[in-house]
Amino acid sequence: VLFAISSLSSCKRDNTLLLLNWGEYINDDLVKEFEKEYNCIVKESITDSNELFYSKLKSGTTVYDLVVPSDYMVKKMKENDLIQKIDLTKLSNWSRDNFLPGLNGLIDYYKSDEVGFTDFDEYMIPYFWGTWGLMYNKRVPGVEEAVQTYGWDAYFDNVGMPKNARKGMYNVPRDAYAASMFHHHLSPNLQGQEYLDIMKKDLTAAKFEQWGTDDLKKQIQKGDLDVAFVWTGDFLDMYFSDIADGIKPSDIKYDIYIPEETIAFSDNLVITKKAIHLDLAYKFLDFFLRKESAKINASVVGYCTPLKSSYEEIKSYKDDPNASESDKAWGNTYDKYYPEYLYKEDGVTLAEKQFKGTPLTNFDKNYITKVSNIVNDVKVK
């Protein structure tokens, strides 16, 4: 007993921040800067889905200080008392005015009566945000034209696609369900047996060659896969990597198509209910809300910064004659794939809908189980 008390006491005193994150989702050099500034250590653990974030916190076998779940999972974690409200007065760099308008629109969506998470912005600090899209291989004749012209019909039904096109699906049942609903112009948040039947029919007919996560973007980059449903930031991660290796944008052999009907998301830093190193957690949050930190983090990860000031600086590179070729490419991709307002119609910004796509809401455990069972059944056939 004395040993256990002593160990816990020592853990509370040490200067180690315990972070649970997605893979390849933080700038390691920036973490080193944080460690140096605050004379601490950041111990990062990795997982690859929102559902695994939840199960790890729920099990309680390992204590984490900070976790990086997507928006709908923040709601579930709050409802199950797994995270704590953030004292925003402790964050000198926090302000809703500092966030991009599209991100603020997404936050307001979760705070609205439709979702009912009225204090959403008091439980999360935006980390990255954006959309999902269909990343495709430009080397195979016909793939780009089919995806750009027919979108979800090309992906699920092979409309316009060349014979034997190789397709991949993100290996998270909730995301596969959303993709199927978009295919039929339905909300990804609908529930019912008829929608489960639609999903099963779609996934069976699609005959996906590969179910994966980070490997999907790498397979398309190499030309070993032709199209897959991925985070837009996954595509840009590969794109920036190739640019850094000296490949010209015109020579990159893959691209991404972002349908009007797709997932909109924000990934967020949250403080767990059992956080041990609370003071250090707040320092970490405030550090990543700095303009320069957000920009440097985005430079490696590829996803869209939440901060307006960082975004504007990155986008300005595309017209800066003194900017490096890689920075110009970075600015151009923000202009093309992460416009300030993600939703436009006939070139006119619609202020009432500031972001493109539909944010996901949480499904209860029983419905998620049904969705997962269908995915597992399809994968083994």
Side-chain angles (χ1 to χ4, degrees):
V1 172
L2 287 174
F3 175 77
I5 293 173
S6 174
S7 297
L8 180 59
S9 216
S10 171
C11 185
K12 285 184 176 179
R13 285 196 307 268
D14 72 24
N15 217 22
T16 301
L17 182 73
L18 307 174
L19 172 67
L20 179 61
N21 198 3
W22 304 80
E24 301 178 356
Y25 210 42
I26 199 165
N27 184 328
D28 292 333
D29 290 336
L30 195 60
V31 172
K32 291 175 183 176
E33 282 187 32
F34 175 79
E35 292 175 326
K36 182 178 180 180
E37 181 171 335
Y38 291 104
N39 189 29
C40 67
I41 296 172
V42 177
K43 182 180 288 186
E44 185 184 23
S45 300
I46 301 299
T47 192
D48 59 7
S49 77
N50 279 292
E51 287 66 31
L52 284 175
F53 280 133
Y54 177 82
S55 64
K56 284 179 178 291
L57 290 195
K58 187 71 173 175
S59 70
T61 53
T62 303
V63 175
Y64 303 99
D65 298 310
L66 293 171
V67 187
V68 195
S70 299
D71 32 42
Y72 74 94
M73 190 53 67
V74 176
K75 185 173 189 290
K76 183 175 181 179
M77 288 176 174
K78 186 253 186 177
E79 290 171 345
N80 288 273
D81 202 30
L82 297 177
I83 58 177
Q84 58 182 279
K85 185 171 284 191
I86 297 170
D87 183 353
L88 299 174
T89 64
K90 293 183 177 181
L91 302 174
S92 61
N93 296 310
W94 184 93
S95 171
R96 283 285 301 270
D97 292 338
N98 292 341
F99 300 149
L100 283 160
L103 174 60
N104 273 324
L106 194 150
I107 292 172
D108 288 338
Y109 171 83
Y110 273 89
K111 289 167 65 71
S112 69
D113 292 340
E114 184 175 350
V115 179
F117 195 174
T118 56
D119 51 359
F120 176 52
D121 52 351
E122 297 179 61
Y123 280 88
M124 49 73 83
I125 299 299
Y127 185 67
F128 286 114
W129 76 295
T131 55
W132 286 60
L134 295 172
M135 184 175 173
Y136 60 86
N137 177 12
K138 296 169 68 174
R139 302 171 184 85
V140 179
V143 169
E144 181 172 39
E145 182 180 1
V147 172
Q148 293 277 357
T149 304
Y150 301 108
W152 292 114
D153 290 340
Y155 184 59
F156 281 106
D157 302 329
N158 293 317
V159 176
M161 290 284 277
K163 188 177 180 180
N164 299 321
R166 301 159 298 176
K167 298 181 293 184
M169 170 60 82
Y170 211 83
N171 194 26
V172 175
R174 180 69 179 92
D175 301 324
Y177 182 90
S180 176
M181 295 304 103
F182 291 133
H183 177 214
H184 297 276
H185 310 291
L186 297 169
S187 167
N189 301 317
L190 291 170
Q191 298 183 53
Q193 187 58 50
E194 63 181 298
Y195 307 116
L196 294 172
D197 292 342
I198 288 171
M199 177 197 184
K200 184 173 183 178
K201 182 178 179 181
D202 273 352
L203 298 185
T204 302
K207 293 182 171 61
F208 293 118
E209 181 173 303
Q210 185 173 342
W211 290 75
T213 52
D214 286 343
D215 49 329
L216 295 176
K217 62 185 180 183
K218 296 172 183 177
Q219 293 298 314
I220 292 178
Q221 180 199 40
K222 293 188 296 184
D224 294 336
L225 199 63
D226 297 321
V227 62
F229 186 43
V230 302
W231 313 75
T232 301
D234 278 358
F235 154 72
L236 288 173
D237 181 35
M238 295 292 93
Y239 186 94
F240 295 150
S241 176
D242 280 344
I243 293 295
D245 288 341
I247 300 176
K248 295 179 179 179
S250 58
D251 292 333
I252 290 178
K253 302 300 183 184
Y254 53 89
D255 205 337
I256 191 167
Y257 169 69
I258 305 173
E260 289 299 322
E261 295 174 285
T262 189
I263 298 173
F265 78 95
S266 69
D267 285 339
N268 318 278
L269 286 158
V270 300
I271 303 177
T272 69
K273 198 75 171 184
K274 296 181 178 180
I276 296 171
H277 312 98
L278 203 54
D279 182 60
L280 200 54
Y282 273 97
K283 289 175 180 175
F284 191 88
L285 297 180
D286 215 31
F287 181 87
F288 275 81
L289 282 171
R290 296 176 187 174
K291 172 188 173 181
E292 192 64 18
S293 295
K295 187 189 79 171
I296 293 172
N297 202 29
S299 72
V300 167
V301 177
Y303 285 65
C304 190
T305 172
L307 300 185
K308 190 187 306 181
S309 57
S310 303
Y311 172 90
E312 289 171 349
E313 182 174 343
I314 294 166
K315 191 172 175 180
S316 72
Y317 292 149
K318 72 184 183 73
D319 299 316
D320 184 352
N322 298 316
S324 66
E325 290 304 312
S326 60
D327 279 348
K328 285 180 181 178
W330 192 15
N332 277 312
T333 58
Y334 262 50
D335 188 43
K336 181 176 181 180
Y337 302 106
Y338 290 137
E340 185 172 2
Y341 284 85
L342 284 174
Y343 187 85
K344 292 190 176 184
E345 188 173 279
D346 297 328
V348 178
T349 298
L350 301 182
E352 66 270 19
K353 185 172 182 181
Q354 297 168 319
F355 57 88
K356 186 175 187 177
T358 304
L360 301 184
T361 55
N362 185 56
F363 289 160
D364 63 41
K365 182 178 179 180
N366 291 335
Y367 200 74
I368 280 290
T369 298
K370 291 178 181 178
V371 171
S372 299
N373 287 342
I374 289 172
V375 168
N376 291 334
D377 287 345
V378 169
K379 285 162 66 175
V380 298
K381 289 181 179 179

